[in-house]
């Protein structure tokens, strides 16, 4: 099942994507796709619906972040060995954990806005995990049962702020619009094995990243278990899991984002995103 939210920013409606690729309006069934809607019993109820019984959304619409009310946006860095090498950093023995600001969340095809005087804007196609029920100190064996589904994420970064302004990566990861998510949340049952998904990203039509989640250093189950021992994971919490090689700073010479660039990215089973890069504005 593919759950989504569509419509103007801050006024999105809940929906799902049927097997023919048609958006169906869920607002007559639930008020929104919230953390409560991700509980196993709630997802089961939605899965029993006949999509043909729901109104079709026929006109083109903007897609928003698939879940409303995300409380934590967690991230794992250097989770592909070849990406760690291109970044010139040691391969980690434990997951590298940082936070992305909730305020950076944006729709999958919304513009990405560079911060003022940005010099090293970069891209990272990543698998996102959406938690479905409260997780505290869960084992790797049980960890996947706490996952509601998965989504495509572009972990947009500003490398100067990430690396040259102190030791915390968060500074370069949480600018407004630096967290495109979607186009939809695909439930875990439909995705199956999260360690067999192809990832890719293009910049201005040129392939920059190609990878597969099978080469992650720490898999989804390990990540969920590890994080659940650091802090409680709540329904709706979002975890982005690292990127394969091919980011801008890894090219020789480096390639960084500039106004007018277009990023297109995707993950098998999870859909695609397209973002135009724009200059800074006080009204993102």
């Amino acid at each position: 099942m593919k759950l989504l939210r569509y419509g103007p920013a801050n006024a999105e409606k809940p929906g799902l994507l049927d097997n023919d690729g048609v958006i169906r309006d869920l607002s007559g069934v639930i008020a929104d796709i919230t953390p409560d809607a991700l509980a196993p019993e709630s997802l089961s109820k939605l899965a029993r619906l006949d999509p043909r019984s729901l109104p079709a959304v026929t006109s083109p619409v903007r897609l928003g972040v698939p879940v409303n009310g995300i409380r934590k946006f967690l991230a794992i860095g250097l989770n592909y060995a070849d990406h760690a090498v291109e970044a010139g950093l040691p391969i980690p023995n434990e997951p590298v954990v940082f936070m992305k600001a909730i305020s950076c969340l944006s729709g999958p095809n919304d513009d990405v806005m560079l911060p003022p005087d940005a010099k090293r804007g970069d891209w990272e196609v990543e698998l996102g995990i959406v938690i479905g029920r409260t997780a505290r100190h869960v084992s790797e064996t049980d960890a996947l049962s706490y996952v509601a589904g998965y989504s495509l994420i572009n972990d947009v970064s500003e490398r100067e702020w990430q690396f040259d302004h102190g030791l915390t990566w968060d500074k370069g990861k949480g600018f407004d619009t630096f967290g495109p998510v979607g186009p939809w949340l695909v439930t875990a049952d439909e995705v199956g094995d999260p360690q067999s998904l192809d990832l890719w990203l293009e910049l201005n039509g040129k392939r920059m990243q190609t990878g597969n989640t099978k080469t992650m250093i720490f898999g989804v189950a390990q990540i969920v278990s590890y994080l659940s021992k650091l802090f409680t994971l709540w329904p709706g919490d979002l975890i982005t899991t690292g990127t394969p090689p091919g980011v801008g700073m890894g090219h020789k010479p480096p390639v960084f984002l500039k106004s007018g660039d277009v990023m297109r990215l995707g993950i098998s089973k999870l859909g695609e995103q397209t973002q135009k890069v724009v200059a800074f504005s006080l009204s993102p």
Side-chain angles (χ1 to χ4, degrees):
M1 184 167 53
K2 297 180 176 69
L3 299 175
L4 56 88
R5 298 172 63 247
Y6 70 94
N10 303 313
E12 293 93 343
K13 295 181 178 180
L16 61 79
L17 193 75
D18 70 18
N19 291 333
D20 296 318
V22 176
I23 295 175
R24 298 284 179 167
D25 180 21
L26 274 175
S27 58
V29 180
I30 55 174
D32 204 350
I33 308 294
T34 63
D36 288 343
L38 304 179
E41 59 273 14
S42 299
L43 291 179
S44 294
K45 180 180 177 181
L46 292 176
R48 290 194 295 269
L49 293 172
D50 180 358
R52 295 170 298 180
S53 68
L54 303 170
V57 179
T58 55
S59 58
V61 291
R62 170 190 171 272
L63 295 176
V65 178
V67 179
N68 187 21
I70 294 170
R71 291 183 282 183
K72 288 197 290 294
F73 192 175
L74 304 164
I76 305 298
L78 304 178
N79 199 25
Y80 291 72
D82 35 14
H83 172 56
V85 170
E86 74 173 350
L89 295 168
I91 296 171
N93 295 317
E94 293 192 32
V96 175
V97 180
F98 61 93
M99 302 276 194
K100 286 179 74 79
I102 295 298
S103 55
C104 83
L105 289 166
S106 59
N109 303 314
D110 292 347
D111 291 343
V112 165
M113 181 180 68
L114 296 174
D117 303 317
K119 297 180 178 65
R120 292 153 62 189
D122 211 340
W123 56 83
E124 295 189 8
V125 56
E126 304 198 4
L127 171 66
I129 306 166
V130 182
I131 298 298
R133 57 192 182 102
T134 301
R136 297 186 184 95
H137 293 271
V138 304
S139 68
E140 288 185 26
T141 302
D142 296 333
L144 292 185
S145 69
Y146 290 83
V147 175
Y150 303 91
S151 196
L152 168 62
I153 296 175
N154 189 352
D155 177 19
V156 185
S157 310
E158 214 297 330
R159 301 302 187 187
E160 180 173 342
W161 277 99
Q162 181 182 357
F163 295 119
D164 299 347
H165 290 268
L167 299 177
T168 55
W169 287 11
D170 311 51
K171 296 175 184 178
K173 296 286 191 169
F175 290 102
D176 289 348
T177 74
F178 271 29
V181 183
W184 26 76
L185 181 157
V186 185
T187 52
D189 61 305
E190 186 167 322
V191 173
D193 181 7
Q195 306 307 150
S196 62
L197 304 175
D198 293 324
L199 309 85
W200 57 270
L201 183 144
E202 297 174 352
L203 179 68
N204 301 323
K206 180 180 179 181
R207 179 64 65 94
M208 307 301 276
Q209 289 187 275
T210 302
N212 189 284
T213 55
K214 67 184 178 183
T215 65
M216 289 166 61
I217 299 170
F218 307 104
V220 170
Q222 290 173 285
I223 290 169
V224 172
S225 175
Y226 186 89
L227 292 178
S228 77
K229 296 171 184 175
L230 302 179
F231 27 63
T232 299
L233 298 176
W234 291 317
D237 282 356
L238 181 63
I239 306 164
T240 192
T241 60
T243 197
V247 300
M249 70 176 180
H251 287 264
K252 300 185 185 304
V255 178
F256 294 121
L257 295 171
K258 62 185 184 303
S259 183
D261 283 344
V262 176
M263 294 177 284
R264 180 170 167 260
L265 57 149
I267 299 180
S268 56
K269 300 184 180 181
L270 301 184
E272 298 183 9
Q273 302 179 353
T274 301
Q275 298 110 26
K276 182 180 178 181
V277 179
V278 299
F280 177 75
S281 167
L282 287 175
S283 301

